[in-house]
Amino acid sequence: MQTLKPKPKARPFCLSVKGHVKLLRLALAATSMTLFILAQAPEPYIVITGFEVASTFFFILLYILRLDRLISCLFWPLLVFGLAASVFCIADGALIYRKLLFNPGGPYQKTDAHDKLVL
């Protein structure tokens, strides 16, 4: 007769090491976004950290509600979009590098006539 082994009970996500790390990451991203807003940093910095806060929050919510186990086809779109985002980031980096290579001094800045020195 075969004995049945009890199935190990899964630890809640918030009590696991992964959960603590993700919650710390969310706290760090939210803090950095708050500091960017208070320091009146350029808008792209605030938007990027806002996206990071939102995506981390939704992943934590996904794990807490155990949707990763209920919906098995959930992660293939993340893989596809992650690869597409990587390709776009590499292309953007190449374009920025090319722009800086051909114009290392930065953008052309006009000077007014009364700013010129007359000798």
Side-chain angles (χ1 to χ4, degrees):
M1 185 167 137
Q2 188 177 8
T3 60
L4 296 174
K5 294 182 183 178
K7 188 176 181 182
K9 190 174 182 179
R11 291 175 62 182
F13 178 73
C14 292
L15 299 178
S16 67
V17 175
K18 273 185 168 181
H20 287 125
V21 170
K22 290 223 185 274
L23 288 171
L24 284 173
R25 180 178 174 185
L26 178 65
L28 180 69
T31 304
S32 63
M33 187 176 76
T34 304
L35 293 175
F36 280 148
I37 291 170
L38 292 176
Q40 297 177 352
E43 194 172 302
Y45 295 146
I46 298 169
V47 171
I48 289 172
T49 51
F51 282 146
E52 184 176 353
V53 167
S55 64
T56 307
F57 173 73
F58 285 124
F59 271 112
I60 289 172
L61 188 66
L62 178 122
Y63 289 130
I64 287 174
L65 297 176
R66 296 205 176 259
L67 293 178
D68 58 331
R69 294 180 192 231
L70 295 175
I71 306 169
S72 61
C73 63
L74 184 67
F75 289 103
W76 73 265
L78 292 175
L79 178 66
V80 171
F81 289 128
L83 290 174
S86 299
V87 169
F88 289 137
C89 284
I90 291 170
D92 189 36
L95 290 173
I96 290 173
Y97 175 74
R98 183 176 172 199
K99 183 178 180 180
L100 291 175
L101 185 66
F102 290 126
N103 191 10
Y108 174 74
Q109 296 191 358
K110 250 181 166 177
T111 57
D112 293 331
H114 64 275
D115 289 340
K116 293 183 180 178
L117 291 173
V118 179
L119 296 176

